[in-house]
Amino acid sequence: MCHVLKFEPYGSCALSRMLLKRALCNNRIGHILFWLLRAELGQLSEVDQDLTRNYKRFALMVEAYCRANYTHLNSMLRQVDMVVRLTDLSKIIKTMKDNECATKHLQKELASYVEIMQDMISPLDISISLGTLNIEMCKVIGSAKQPLRLAWTNPEPLARLHNETHQIIFKNGDDLRQDMLTLQVMRIMDALWKSQDYDLCLSIYEVLPMGRNVGMICVVQNCSTLFEIQCAAKQLGSTFSMESGLINKYIRNHSENSKVYIFGRS
């Protein structure tokens, strides 16, 4: 809906008022709206040096939300500060070709950001609290964009029964608005399938754009990527050239109950 605001003739329209009203009535919606508006501002700031009409429109909405929801402001300022520091850090890391050196530099810099980046609300989900920043688990992922994988302890008393850590990928270089839209479609399809008693057990992770080609991705723990599956099967190459039966073979080998697997395929 933030994108639709660009096509409204006036800044004070029914859509903008509805979004602000919903955001102020629900902190979760307000949190997401804040970052989506900030992502749009980041994209528009590079279009022209002059302030465009849409830029002013989004900036006024951010100001209106922050002024009306001052109780949420301190938490948002900490998160904005963290995103700015991570963005600057990721730009430096992109100049490093060696992944091990990049990881060491990341951990060294994070040591000076500890007070800012721990004991705070998760930028991806305001219902999750991030504990102590686990610097040893933080690393640079060896891919083209060199995203940063960050880890925090889970301060919940029963964390050992679920996830002992909260892990987030900070990515600089891709427009995560496209990823977010794709996952929203997946959520709709998952709801439709479940309404017809088809539970595919999808783990739809959170993605949140936070600026110009900057954002965060939730790490799905205890899983394997397609690249890792290919490496294990010694089939290196593009995922588009993957052997058709490779995924089925992987699932069958890791299925605890073969009958459940066979039933799921039938």
Side-chain angles (χ1 to χ4, degrees), residues 20-51:
L20 285 173
K21 183 178 180 180
R22 292 289 301 275
L24 293 173
C25 291
N26 189 313
N27 279 341
R28 183 184 295 273
I29 296 175
H31 179 86
I32 296 174
L33 178 65
F34 173 85
W35 284 114
L36 290 179
L37 291 174
R38 195 171 185 275
E40 293 292 342
L41 287 173
Q43 297 290 340
L44 292 171
S45 63
E46 299 294 331
V47 175
D48 194 353
Q49 292 182 353
D50 298 329
L51 293 179

Side-chain angles (χ1 to χ4, degrees), residues 14-259:
L15 178 59
S16 62
R17 291 193 295 269
M18 184 272 290
L19 288 174
L20 285 173
K21 183 178 180 180
R22 292 289 301 275
L24 293 173
C25 291
N26 189 313
N27 279 341
R28 183 184 295 273
I29 296 175
H31 179 86
I32 296 174
L33 178 65
F34 173 85
W35 284 114
L36 290 179
L37 291 174
R38 195 171 185 275
E40 293 292 342
L41 287 173
Q43 297 290 340
L44 292 171
S45 63
E46 299 294 331
V47 175
D48 194 353
Q49 292 182 353
D50 298 329
L51 293 179
T52 62
R53 182 186 65 177
N54 286 328
Y55 187 94
K56 294 178 181 178
R57 179 176 298 180
F58 288 122
L60 286 172
M61 285 193 66
V62 171
E63 182 179 358
Y65 172 73
C66 292
R67 284 179 177 272
N69 193 15
Y70 61 90
T71 56
H72 194 206
L73 190 58
N74 289 334
S75 175
M76 297 305 303
L77 287 175
R78 285 195 64 187
Q79 295 176 28
V80 170
D81 188 17
M82 180 178 70
V83 170
V84 171
R85 291 173 184 267
L86 289 175
T87 302
D88 294 338
L89 181 56
S90 64
K91 291 178 181 178
I92 298 174
I93 288 176
K94 283 178 179 291
T95 62
M96 301 180 179
K97 296 182 179 180
D98 185 63
N99 194 60
E100 291 185 4
C101 292
T103 297
K104 290 180 180 179
H105 181 76
L106 170 66
Q107 294 176 349
K108 179 181 177 181
E109 292 297 322
L110 288 178
S112 60
Y113 300 161
V114 169
E115 296 299 327
I116 300 172
M117 294 181 55
Q118 66 182 14
D119 300 323
M120 61 186 298
I121 301 298
S122 172
L124 280 174
D125 189 348
I126 62 173
S127 65
I128 295 177
S129 296
L130 302 178
T132 305
L133 182 65
N134 193 330
I135 297 178
E136 294 181 356
M137 291 184 63
C138 298
K139 63 179 182 179
V140 178
I141 300 176
S143 62
K145 303 300 181 181
Q146 291 183 288
L148 314 179
R149 182 163 180 164
L150 310 172
W152 291 264
T153 59
N154 187 349
E156 296 296 329
L158 300 178
R160 67 183 186 279
L161 302 178
H162 183 50
N163 286 328
E164 295 185 353
T165 61
H166 292 302
Q167 299 185 35
I168 296 175
I169 294 176
F170 180 82
K171 198 169 188 179
N172 182 3
D174 281 337
D175 188 357
L176 294 182
R177 295 178 301 175
Q178 300 176 10
D179 299 62
M180 189 177 190
L181 179 60
T182 302
L183 291 169
Q184 286 176 350
V185 174
M186 291 298 297
R187 286 190 178 90
I188 295 173
M189 294 303 301
D190 188 40
L192 292 174
W193 287 327
K194 287 180 178 178
S195 66
Q196 300 297 322
D197 296 329
Y198 289 106
D199 187 0
L200 303 183
C201 300
L202 299 181
S203 297
I204 303 176
Y205 53 89
E206 296 292 334
V207 173
L208 187 61
M210 296 178 159
R212 178 173 172 78
N213 297 335
V214 167
M216 290 187 174
I217 305 171
C218 181
V219 175
V220 181
Q221 302 188 44
N222 303 320
C223 69
S224 299
T225 63
L226 291 177
F227 180 73
E228 291 172 344
I229 295 174
Q230 282 182 295
C231 291
K234 298 181 180 180
Q235 293 187 11
L236 298 179
S238 172
T239 54
F240 296 103
S241 61
M242 182 185 299
E243 182 184 337
S244 59
L246 181 60
I247 299 298
N248 284 333
K249 186 184 298 183
Y250 178 85
I251 296 175
R252 184 173 64 251
N253 293 337
H254 290 79
S255 177
E256 297 180 357
N257 191 331
S258 58
K259 293 183 179 180

